[in-house]
Amino acid sequence: MKIQLVFLLTSLLALSSSVMLVHGEDPYLFFTWKVTYGTASPLGHPQQVILVNGLFPGPVLNSTTNNNIVLNVFNHLDEPLLLTWNGVQERRNSWADGTPGTQCPIPPGTNYTYHFQMKDQIGSYYYYPTLGLQRAAGGFGGITINSRPLIPVPYDRPEEEYTVLIFDWYTQNHKDLQKILDSGKGLDRPNGVLINGKTAKGDGKDKPMFMMKPGKTYKYRICNVGMRETLNFRIQDHRMKLVELEGSHPMQNFYDSLDVHVGQCYAVLVTADNKEHTDYVMLASTRNIHTNPHDKDAAVLTGKAIIRYVGGHGAPSPKLPPAPTDIQWSVDQVRSFRWNLSANAARPNIQGSYKYGQIQIARTIKLVNTVEKVKNKLRYAINGVSHVDPETPLKLAEYFGVANKVFKYNIITDNPPAKIAKIIEAPNVINITYRSFVEIVFENHEDTMQSFNLDGYAFFVVGMEPGVWSPDKRKSYNLVDAVSRHTVPVFPNHWTAILLTFDNVGMWNLRSEMAEHRYLGLQLYISILSDSAQFRDEYSLPEWQLLCGIVKNLPRPKP
């Protein structure tokens, strides 16, 4: 079989990790990952976790702009598995997106080989499992896409780079958490916060997680890979210079702390310029961004890690920097991010839509999230539709010409009523015209935070205000230097507007990064079709692609 041949080649060339081959095309990186269960005690109690190559969190997928990735995943779990690449824009290739709407799951005891390219990208991202609540058990890790040597970055090369995954954590098994949601209830607050799968006490007895040489500058790639909580990230007695934000180089401002919403990644430079030469505490704390007074008063959970100066000694100071406490501080921080238009790096949206302020809007889509009980079960919805994944992946149904047997397009409207009467459960798929320039407005009428991600794309976050959106709000848009990114926060009782060109053919998942909300229906898929059906617009169905549902035994369409 093709998969077996690819794995044989992978094993011979890569042995256990990776190898790069030089062809006439862009370089190839080969990886082999084994996904298994294991036992860890991140909060002091042994519990089952999901490991990648024996690691929790998993290994960093390290690459460079335009590298081709061939990643053979062996599923040693007792349940199906899919991995997605949060923020990686798989150009013309939603076949590798790793969501239930695009791919058949990898059955237990089998393997599958992902093929995708880091096309025209740089930056800090991460991967994670998308089925059920597997994310609550691990299976995630960082993704680094380095800039090619010929394209300089707008800062000096750091002494070293560190990946920092921060996340809220439950001590319950992920299957038990899923049963709670299936029973109609919501999840309680997490039990703690971890940094790279651990938390320190800060009493001088902890082993350091990171080392810094006095006077040297280090790059920290920070991603919130958690389930639900916005986390405030800060380093005791050190300031952070923001140099990259989900693949974009922003204006380089200094920050004492950063609110990192679920699904978001930042890269900062930190200089070891403190003359005390002792240990310092890195902190990630829950922000409790809610308008419900009861939730706002919930106890703050904090994860810690130790940074040690090389040659230094002494316990860290017990005086730790506090986190901000109000919502407006976080809103203002997001607004402070501006794109560095002079940075000489790969631009997202290769059709030139970085000149987004000069493009006429072809379509406006308003997406309103709501939540209510449906048949005695909690369901979240977009414009009144709570998404349900069918047995046949949406992309496969579309490609095989049997979409009408699996789902209906556009069952939601672009402009929902002010009051959504009820929630229905169904696959939620909308069509958007290829290469059209679209305005999407998210309205969050709930008292909890939301964070939305769009696979396959980066977009420009141009507006964010409290209340309800209306066309006259466009007067306040930033149409010059808004940051291009793939994840956007939508604050309680606020709206957020984004602009983008839909120039990447495929079936792409727009979802809440709050795992509970996504699992209970707060997501949809966007279908971008090309009239030409040319290879230049979209790759053909790979020969090794798994088939399931009603297309399992159908003849494959011609390439």
Side-chain angles (χ1 to χ4, degrees), residues 33 35 52 61 71 73 81-90 93-103 106 112 114 116 118 125-131 134-135 138-143 225 263 453-456 486 507-513 518 523 525:
W33 285 0
V35 181
V52 181
L61 182 58
L71 175 56
V73 176
L81 173 72
L82 278 176
L83 295 176
T84 195
W85 326 101
N86 211 51
V88 177
Q89 299 171 42
E90 305 102 324
N93 189 22
S94 60
W95 303 114
D97 196 39
T99 62
T102 58
Q103 289 189 259
I106 307 170
Y112 175 79
Y114 288 91
F116 55 93
M118 307 302 199
Y125 311 97
Y126 67 95
Y127 59 87
Y128 69 91
T130 58
L131 299 184
Q134 290 175 346
R135 181 174 176 174
F140 44 70
I143 299 175
V225 301
N453 170 270
L454 175 59
D455 284 352
H486 61 82
M507 180 77 70
W508 303 105
N509 190 209
L510 173 64
R511 61 179 174 269
S512 170
E513 283 296 338
R518 176 198 57 78
Q523 59 176 315
Y525 282 83

Side-chain angles (χ1 to χ4, degrees), residues 461-516:
V461 183
V462 295
M464 180 180 298
E465 290 182 4
V468 176
W469 181 88
S470 58
D472 66 295
K473 299 294 185 180
R474 295 184 183 126
K475 298 175 183 177
S476 66
Y477 282 5
N478 176 4
L479 297 179
V480 178
D481 59 355
V483 174
S484 175
R485 58 192 309 175
H486 61 82
T487 306
V488 60
V490 188
F491 291 87
N493 298 303
H494 278 62
W495 60 264
T496 298
I498 66 173
L499 299 174
L500 73 156
T501 298
F502 279 93
D503 57 3
N504 192 11
V505 174
M507 180 77 70
W508 303 105
N509 190 209
L510 173 64
R511 61 179 174 269
S512 170
E513 283 296 338
M514 327 295 269
E516 175 183 355

Side-chain angles (χ1 to χ4, degrees), residues 368-372 379-384 420 423 445-446 522:
V368 179
N369 59 277
T370 53
V371 57
E372 67 179 51
R379 297 297 299 183
Y380 287 81
I382 295 177
N383 292 7
I420 297 175
I423 288 177
H445 296 175
E446 306 302 318
L522 196 59

Side-chain angles (χ1 to χ4, degrees), residues 400-414:
F400 277 79
V402 294
N404 62 336
K405 297 181 180 180
V406 177
F407 66 92
K408 294 180 180 179
Y409 293 102
N410 304 317
I411 60 176
I412 63 173
T413 62
D414 288 358

Side-chain angles (χ1 to χ4, degrees), residues 425-480:
E425 298 175 89
N428 196 354
V429 184
I430 63 175
N431 278 123
I432 294 183
T433 304
Y434 181 40
R435 291 180 178 171
S436 61
F437 190 69
V438 177
E439 174 186 47
I440 297 179
V441 178
F442 299 92
E443 273 191 7
N444 180 9
H445 296 175
E446 306 302 318
D447 60 13
T448 57
M449 185 74 191
Q450 286 298 340
S451 182
F452 286 96
N453 170 270
L454 175 59
D455 284 352
Y457 285 92
F459 46 72
F460 297 92
V461 183
V462 295
M464 180 180 298
E465 290 182 4
V468 176
W469 181 88
S470 58
D472 66 295
K473 299 294 185 180
R474 295 184 183 126
K475 298 175 183 177
S476 66
Y477 282 5
N478 176 4
L479 297 179
V480 178

Side-chain angles (χ1 to χ4, degrees), residues 204 211 275-280 307-316:
M211 300 291 295
K275 297 181 179 179
E276 295 298 326
H277 291 189
T278 183
D279 287 358
Y280 298 92
I307 298 176
R308 177 168 295 168
Y309 278 30
V310 175
H313 57 85

